[in-house]
Structure formats: C-alpha cells, structure tokens
C-alpha cells in the first residue's frame, strides 16, 4: 500500500501520525521525535497542521492514559493487541477533545486499521467498539483524570511526598504556555506588552502556546529565545558573568549558551551531535551572538585553557519535562539511568580539570530523579576533598524558598508556580574549588 496516497485520500494523515507515535512509544519504545525521524526516513511526510494536531492529541492521551483505557476496557471482552488498543485511544481522545463528528471518528478508525498488518485483521472489532465508544461517551458526560504513569508516581510519592506526587499529577497536563528569555532584560516591559505575556518572578516571560512562535514579533530579529523558566534559573545563580570565560560542556541547542552570552560571558560551546550543533549555530546567528563552537564528544576534548565556569547541563532522563514530553514516563526512564548516570559522573570528573582555582562548576539537568542530581553531587564531594558545593541561598531575591532543598541545591518541580501553570523540573548545584571561603 502507498501510505502517503492512502492517508491523504482518506484524510487521516494526522490520525496516522498519532497512531504511529502511540505504537512508537508503547510497542517500539521510541520517543515522538524518533518516530517522526523514522517516518521521514520511510518517505512519509506530514503538514505542520497534522503535526500540531498529533501533538495536541498524543499529549492528551499520555496525560490521561489510565482514564482513557478504563473507558475502552468496558467494551472489550478480552485483551486485544496494543496497536488496536491505540486506535481506540485515538477515538476516545477525539471524542473528549470534540475533534470531529461521530461518524468520522468511526470511519477513520476503520481506515486507519487497514494500513497495518497489526490491525487489519481486526476491522470488525474496531468498527463495533468504536461505534459503542462514540455512542456511549458524549462529550459532556466524559470526565478524565490527569494520570501519571504508576512507576513514576510511586517514585515521586516515595522520594518527595504523596502530596507533591498528587500536585504534580494534577498540574502537569494543564500546560498551555511557553516561556521565553529576553536578550536585553531592560526591554522586558516592552516585550511583555508586545507579546501579551506575563512576567514571571525570575524575569522570564510566559506566553500562550496557541500561537506559532516563529511568527511572533521579535523572534526573527533575535530579541528573545524559547526557554522554560526552570531551565533559565541555574545560570542566574552564577551572578556577574561579564568577561568571564565559560565552558558549556553540553551546549546544544544553546538555551544556556545564549543566556551566558547575553550576560557578557565568553563562551566555548561543546556538543557531540551534528544536528544539534546546527540548531545551536542557527540560534546564535538569529540572536546575533558569537561563541567558539566545538563539535566533539567531551571525552575527546583537550585544551590547556582554564575557565571561570564550566557548565554541565548533562544528558539525563528528562523526567522534569513531563509537562511537554508526557510520553517519557512510558519509556521506562528508570531503566535508562545507568548509562546517563555514568556520563554525568564522567563529565563532573572531566570538568574539574578545566576550572580555574577560584572557579566553579554549575551542574544541572532536567531530571526529577535524585540519582541524577543530589546523589551525584554528594558523591562527587565525598570523593574530591578539595571540592565542595555552595549552598544556594534565597538571598538571591528571585528564588522562592520552596525551590531549594535541605542541602542548598536548586530543586525545581513541575508543581512549582502552579498558580501560573507550573514549570519543568530542574536540578542545579554549584561546585567550588576553594572551600575555605565558605
Ligand atoms: C540537555 S542537552 C543540553 C541543552 C543545552 N545546555 C541548552 O541549554 O540548550 C544535552 C546535550 O548533550 C549532548 N551530548 C550528549 N552526550 C554528549 C557527549 N558525550 N559529548 C558531548 N555532548 C554530548 C547532546 O547532543 C545534547 O545536545
């Protein structure tokens, strides 16, 4: 079957993409971007509007999975295969989001099923269950709870608290905003008005998500860049960066590098990924910013130069970003930890060789797991007696005391700033060589 031709003729391009994303996560253990890459390699292409619709619907499905599945299971006499179940998940979410008339939902579910060997022998079942679903669940009768995947929820309950786990579960599906950082903070009031934004306590702006960001005022002119508030806070802990030499070890696509440069630092950016280096270069060029860019695996990086600051925004489980990447919870983040923890450890040991005597390492990442944050730092200072961590204090006026943990690390969670829609989870610590001055 020519998939492109079929999905276009049946007007089911976005549903096909949604189904592929769901099969990607629940069967092939692929992230959304990996599924898009996979489809592109197989010459299946989508319009922007299909990708936006797929984003909206899959985000709803991953955020309410338990609730959705409970509704489907009422109509299934026995267990069915995951790909068929994924079609029903699309039908229920489309009823909930009022995406199309009932008959269209049933027809498209059946058409979708014709494409794959995993579903095409179940056309009868898909037709009858889809009919029952649309007949039973009128939009106004439907209630959906925001659900966290059970292993992640248990982790949060055990390691944070039941209340925090519940708060995160409640807030993380209500994410309809995007945060931006302004290049010249003196212009913040101007951009607040121009973009109809809210100013957040740390000086980021929050705008509504339903606009195409690249069309907004100031984007092409390099006046601001997209960066979640929580991801922008670690650099703000470093204080005055004018003329400071900074090594940004995991730099692409450049959110933190742009912040560092806008604060007057001379930045050396390192990253091993060609695709992401390209994004970094595009970002810096749009922002009219300059830095040295080195494409290399940090394990192979050599220099005699010493830096005032080394920034380690290491690869991590990304569990802090579940507001945006809800599928992460279903990709067994805990099972991927061993490899990530090793890279983080190695990068800390590597970074210490490049720091000036009175310099610091800023270690941060967007994980909610303590093993990628607190534990790494505590182990590092235990093994490196000439290093210690600086207690981050809320004398930094923009910091809420609830954002700091008992050690003095920054520990941001998705339920922080919940009145304004939350933020990504993020961890940050500052390591110093000269401990006597503390
Ligand atoms: C969390 S992202 C960095 C985000 C970036 N600091 C920002 O603020 O936009 C992690 C980056 O580490 C890079 N990376 C992963 N392993 C690496 C390695 N061994 N050496 C260099 N870069 C690596 C990835 O390509 C990715 O771009």
């Amino acid at each position: 079957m020519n998939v492109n031709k079929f999905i276009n003729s049946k007007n089911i391009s976005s549903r096909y993409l949604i189904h592929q994303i769901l099969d990607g996560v629940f069967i092939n253990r692929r992230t959304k971007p990996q599924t898009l890459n996979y489809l592109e390699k197989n010459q299946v292409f989508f319009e922007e509007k299909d990708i936006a619709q797929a984003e909206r619907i899959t985000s709803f499905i991953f955020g309410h999975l338990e609730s959705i599945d409970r509704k489907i299971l009422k109509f299934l006499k026995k267990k069915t295969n995951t790909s068929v179940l994924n079609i029903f998940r699309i039908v229920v979410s489309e009823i909930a989001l009022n995406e199309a008339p009932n008959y269209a939902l049933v027809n498209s579910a059946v058409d979708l099923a014709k494409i794959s060997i995993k579903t095409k022998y179940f056309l009868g079942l898909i037709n009858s269950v889809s009919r029952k679903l649309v007949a039973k669940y009128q939009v106004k009768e439907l209630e959906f709870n925001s659900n966290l995947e059970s292993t992640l929820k248990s982790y949060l309950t055990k390691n944070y608290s039941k209340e925090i786990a519940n708060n995160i579960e409640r807030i993380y599906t209500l994410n309809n905003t995007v945060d931006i950082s302004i290049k010249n903070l003196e212009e913040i009031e101007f951009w607040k008005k121009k973009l109809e934004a809210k100013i957040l306590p740390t000086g980021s702006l929050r705008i509504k998500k339903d606009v195409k960001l690249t069309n907004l005022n100031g984007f092409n002119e390099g006046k601001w860049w997209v960066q979640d508030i929580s991801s922008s806070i670690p650099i703000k802990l470093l204080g005055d960066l004018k003329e400071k030499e900074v090594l940004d070890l995991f730099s692409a696509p450049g959110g933190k590098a742009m912040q560092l440069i806008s604060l007057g630092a001379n930045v050396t950016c390192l990253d091993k990924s060609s695709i992401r280096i390209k994004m970094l270069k595009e970002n810096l060029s749009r922002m009219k910013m300059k830095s040295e860019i080195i494409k290399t695996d940090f394990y192979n990086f050599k220099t005699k130069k010493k830096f005032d600051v080394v920034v380690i925004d290491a690869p991590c489980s990304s569990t802090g970003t579940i507001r945006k990447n809800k599928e992460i919870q279903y990709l067994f983040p805990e099972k991927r930890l061993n490899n990530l923890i090793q890279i983080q450890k190695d990068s800390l040991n590597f970074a210490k060789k490049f720091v000036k005597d009175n310099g610091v390492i800023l270690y941060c990442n967007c994980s909610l797991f303590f093993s990628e944050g607190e534990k790494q730092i505590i182990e590092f200072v235990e093994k490196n007696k000439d290093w210690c961590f600086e207690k981050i204090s809320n004398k930094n006026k923009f910091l809420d005391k609830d954002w700091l943990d008992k050690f003095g690390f920054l520990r941001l969670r998705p339920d922080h700033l919940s009145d304004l829609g939350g933020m990504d989870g993020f961890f940050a610590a500052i390591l110093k060589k000269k401990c006597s001055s503390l």
Side-chain angles (χ1 to χ4, degrees):
M1 173 189 284
N2 179 331
V3 172
N4 277 319
K5 212 167 154 191
F6 184 76
I7 59 180
N8 283 329
S9 71
K10 298 289 182 185
N11 202 14
I12 54 168
S13 296
S14 66
R15 289 178 180 112
Y16 177 71
L17 177 55
I18 297 164
H19 192 232
Q20 288 291 304
I21 291 172
L22 296 180
D23 279 5
V25 169
F26 294 114
I27 300 173
N28 305 309
R29 305 299 166 198
R30 286 192 193 117
T31 61
K32 275 192 231 178
Q34 283 168 341
T35 294
L36 276 166
N37 281 344
Y38 166 82
L39 290 168
E40 207 177 302
K41 273 193 195 135
N42 285 287
Q43 306 289 314
V44 188
F45 300 105
F46 300 93
E47 290 180 26
E48 253 179 54
K49 69 171 174 38
D50 295 326
I51 296 176
Q53 190 178 7
E55 176 56 44
R56 200 171 58 248
I57 292 182
T58 54
S59 183
F60 182 82
I61 294 174
F62 294 127
H64 302 86
L65 194 71
E66 203 183 298
S67 234
I68 292 173
D69 282 358
R70 223 176 300 122
K71 291 179 172 48
I72 296 166
L73 291 178
K74 282 187 191 159
F75 294 100
L76 285 177
K77 291 200 183 78
K78 53 181 189 195
K79 219 174 156 219
T80 182
N81 79 44
T82 306
S83 198
V84 170
L85 181 61
N86 285 338
I87 292 185
F88 297 139
R89 287 168 171 163
I90 299 172
V91 173
V92 173
S93 65
E94 287 199 285
I95 301 170
L97 298 174
N98 211 357
E99 292 279 325
N102 288 354
Y103 71 88
L105 298 186
V106 176
N107 289 348
S108 63
V110 174
D111 284 335
L112 201 51
K114 289 176 187 160
I115 301 172
S116 156
I117 189 136
K118 293 193 267 289
T119 48
K120 71 178 180 187
Y121 300 112
F122 298 90
L123 296 187
L125 177 78
I126 288 167
N127 188 7
S128 81
V129 173
S130 299
R131 277 177 194 284
K132 287 178 191 158
L133 288 170
V134 295
K136 166 84 181 169
Y137 296 125
Q138 296 304 316
V139 178
K140 47 187 173 317
E141 290 173 21
L142 274 180
E143 265 186 33
F144 290 90
N145 298 326
S146 166
N147 313 123
L148 280 169
E149 188 276 332
S150 58
T151 324
L152 182 62
K153 183 150 185 211
S154 306
Y155 177 87
L156 296 173
T157 307
K158 193 165 153 221
N159 293 282
Y160 289 78
S161 73
K162 191 169 180 202
E163 188 190 353
I164 290 174
N166 286 339
N167 287 345
I168 294 177
E169 183 163 61
R170 191 170 41 79
I171 186 89
Y172 93 111
T173 51
L174 307 175
N175 168 35
N176 59 357
T177 54
V178 174
D179 299 342
I180 61 173
S181 293
I182 305 290
K183 182 176 180 183
N184 180 357
L185 268 181
E186 284 167 13
E187 295 175 358
I188 193 154
E189 282 296 336
F190 172 83
W191 290 108
K192 173 188 175 246
K193 279 201 192 103
K194 195 90 187 160
L195 301 171
E196 298 176 23
K198 274 191 188 135
I199 299 187
L200 299 177
T202 59
S204 290
L205 288 184
R206 182 159 281 189
I207 52 182
K208 281 249 173 328
K209 206 186 197 170
D210 51 11
V211 286
K212 190 160 184 250
L213 294 170
T214 49
N215 287 347
L216 284 181
N217 251 301
F219 180 83
N220 289 322
E221 298 76 19
K223 299 293 185 186
W224 51 265
W225 65 94
V226 175
Q227 185 177 35
D228 193 84
I229 174 180
S230 61
S231 164
S232 73
I233 294 176
I235 299 291
K236 292 176 199 269
L237 303 174
L238 293 169
D240 184 10
L241 287 166
K242 257 206 173 63
E243 304 297 328
K244 293 274 166 70
E245 291 297 324
V246 181
L247 174 63
D248 186 9
L249 216 48
F250 301 95
S251 197
K256 292 184 189 60
M258 291 187 271
Q259 254 186 302
L260 292 160
I261 298 168
S262 72
L263 293 168
N266 301 319
V267 186
T268 303
C269 298
L270 224 79
D271 205 283
K272 73 168 185 181
S273 152
S274 312
I275 297 174
R276 290 173 70 95
I277 288 266
K278 186 168 170 267
M279 289 157 75
L280 168 70
K281 285 185 176 163
E282 283 166 5
N283 279 331
L284 292 181
S285 145
R286 180 175 59 81
M287 297 303 299
K288 300 173 190 65
M289 290 176 173
K290 288 205 162 46
S291 89
E292 187 179 353
I293 297 175
I294 303 172
K295 184 194 152 317
T296 180
D297 193 310
F298 80 86
Y299 288 100
N300 303 326
F301 177 65
K302 288 192 183 83
T303 181
K304 291 206 168 87
K305 189 170 164 180
K306 300 268 176 179
F307 296 84
D308 298 295
V309 182
V310 177
V311 176
I312 301 181
D313 185 11
C316 70
S317 62
S318 304
T319 33
T321 69
I322 46 171
R323 290 154 72 241
K324 300 185 189 103
N325 306 307
K326 297 185 180 63
E327 78 272 20
I328 281 175
Q329 350 166 39
Y330 296 101
L331 292 168
F332 305 114
E334 277 186 283
K335 290 198 180 151
R336 294 188 294 118
L337 280 179
N338 284 350
N339 187 25
L340 293 165
I341 286 173
Q342 193 57 50
I343 295 175
Q344 293 154 5
K345 233 183 253 312
D346 292 345
S347 65
L348 276 164
N349 285 321
F350 179 83
K352 67 185 185 195
K353 293 186 276 192
F354 298 105
V355 182
K356 290 181 185 169
D357 279 345
N358 55 354
V360 299
I361 296 175
L362 170 68
Y363 175 87
C364 58
N365 60 50
C366 57
S367 170
L368 293 172
F369 294 139
F370 294 150
S371 55
E372 297 185 273
E374 292 80 349
K375 198 157 174 267
Q376 290 284 25
I377 300 302
I378 287 165
E379 274 180 25
F380 180 83
V381 294
E382 270 170 15
K383 285 195 183 134
N384 296 277
K385 298 292 181 204
D386 51 337
W387 284 82
C388 58
F389 57 81
E390 189 181 283
K391 221 171 159 50
I392 298 164
S393 82
N394 51 356
K395 74 174 184 284
N396 288 304
K397 276 194 236 91
F398 61 87
L399 287 179
D400 187 309
K401 68 173 179 2
D402 203 25
W403 299 353
L404 304 176
D405 67 11
K406 61 179 180 193
F407 302 105
F409 299 139
L410 183 78
R411 177 39 87 194
L412 302 171
R413 305 190 311 256
D415 60 318
H416 284 145
L417 281 193
S418 57
D419 292 349
L420 294 167
M423 60 163 82
D424 284 350
F426 229 92
F427 171 83
I430 294 178
L431 287 159
K432 274 192 164 194
K433 228 172 174 180
K434 287 217 161 167
C435 304
S436 53
S437 61
L438 286 177

